[in-house]
Amino acid sequence: MEVNVSEAIEKTPEQLEEARRAFVAELWRRFETLQEWAVSHWPDQQHPLSSADFVEARKEILSLRSPAGSLNQPAVRDAAEPAPEQGGAQYVDVTPAPWP
């Protein structure tokens, strides 16, 4: 079994946070470059791409900045919900309600 040296060294929470922030910054830089390339090389000129076509991807990348993770992921619960055969819900609606 091969062990990565960086995994063997314990990192402080501050170091982990700094590494996560550096990763997100680099990911954002690369995403911006990819977005520019995609917009300029899109083959269907009658229906061009714009930065608005990348909104959801931007939201996901920006959600990596928060330690809790993606905004679309449910919060971790203390106890697991019971399975449907144990009286738990068969369907859990995760679609947000529209604004009133």
Side-chain angles (χ1 to χ4, degrees):
M1 180 174 155
E2 189 174 312
V3 176
N4 189 340
V5 175
S6 65
E7 290 176 320
I9 300 172
E10 291 294 322
K11 293 185 178 181
T12 66
E14 293 81 20
Q15 290 172 323
L16 292 172
E17 178 66 19
E18 181 60 33
R20 188 173 56 77
R21 288 183 184 274
F23 174 83
V24 171
E26 179 66 15
L27 179 62
W28 185 261
R29 186 189 65 76
R30 290 180 183 208
F31 176 74
E32 289 292 316
T33 303
L34 173 67
Q35 178 182 313
E36 291 171 16
W37 177 87
V39 169
S40 64
H41 289 84
W42 181 247
D44 187 359
Q45 294 303 315
Q46 291 185 353
H47 303 96
L49 287 178
S50 72
S51 62
D53 295 312
F54 298 90
V55 169
E56 291 302 317
R58 271 193 238 108
K59 286 180 187 177
E60 287 296 320
I61 293 171
L62 291 175
S63 73
L64 295 173
R65 293 189 305 181
S66 70
S70 176
L71 299 175
N72 292 331
Q73 298 298 319
V76 176
R77 300 183 184 181
D78 294 333
E81 292 185 23
E85 60 270 7
Q86 297 170 339
Q90 291 186 349
Y91 175 78
V92 177
D93 186 10
V94 295
T95 306
W99 287 96

